[in-house]
């Protein structure tokens, strides 16, 4: 079963904020993000593009999809048609209960912690490119520092650094 939901993504360029909706589907059994799409709003079009991306990435569609209740009946019409055409069961979560689709919500929390809003600044194309490069490096650093490592016995580099204890004679040098 796949869980689907939308998350607002904000990018500020030169002081102007642009908001988008990242719609994503996560496999409940593996927590893998199977498909996603970035669109202007949380809509049936964005939903279906993300679902189709998941089908293309996985080679199959899930037998069931769990979504929240924010999409209107009008938005659900093309979704219901697609689901019926592909024999996918659509289930809607209880309003205001993030635990009923907790895997996708957890992924969005991780995204918020590691990525958050992106701010791009610069007057020239080179300045803007450098600002984008800085944002890319910050995202990579967060992901790298927070991924468990075998050589650290399942701990993340960040956890290991936070939990390490320096000998007293080295603390003053820091």
């Amino acid at each position: 079963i796949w869980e689907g939901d939308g998350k607002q993504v904000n990018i500020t360029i030169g002081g102007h904020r642009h908001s988008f909706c990242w719609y994503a589907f996560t496999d409940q059994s593996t927590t893998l993000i199977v498909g996603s799409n970035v669109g202007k709003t949380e809509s049936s079009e964005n939903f279906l593009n993300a679902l189709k991306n998941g089908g293309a990435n996985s080679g199959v569609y899930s037998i069931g999809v769990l979504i929240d209740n924010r999409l209107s009946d009008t938005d659900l019409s093309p979704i219901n048609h697609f689901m019926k055409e592909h024999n996918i069961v659509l289930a809607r979560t209880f309003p205001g209960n993030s635990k009923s689709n907790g895997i996708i919500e957890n992924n969005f929390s991780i995204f918020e912690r590691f990525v958050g809003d992106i701010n791009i600044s610069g007057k020239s194309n080179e300045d803007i490119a450098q600002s984008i490069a800085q944002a890319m490096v910050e995202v990579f650093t967060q992901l790298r520092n927070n991924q468990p490592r075998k050589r650290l016995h399942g701990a993340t580099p960040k956890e290991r650094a936070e939990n390490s204890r320096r000998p007293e004679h080295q603390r003053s040098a820091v």
Side-chain angles (χ1 to χ4, degrees), residues 64 67 108 117 124 144 158 160 163 170:
I67 64 169
F108 286 156
D117 291 354
S124 69
R144 175 68 176 87
K158 184 177 179 180
R160 185 54 61 94
N163 294 330
Q170 289 182 345

Side-chain angles (χ1 to χ4, degrees), residues 109-116 138-139 142-143 146-147:
S109 294
I110 293 168
F111 176 84
E112 190 68 32
R113 189 172 24 153
F114 293 152
V115 182
E138 288 171 8
V139 169
Q142 287 294 324
L143 291 173
N146 288 283
Q147 278 185 327

Side-chain angles (χ1 to χ4, degrees), residues 10-34:
N10 300 310
I11 299 176
T12 302
I13 300 176
H16 298 287
R17 183 177 176 169
H18 305 274
S19 295
F20 302 96
C21 177
W22 168 36
Y23 210 100
F25 284 94
T26 303
D27 179 77
Q28 279 188 332
S29 64
T30 64
T31 71
L32 177 74
I33 297 174
V34 293

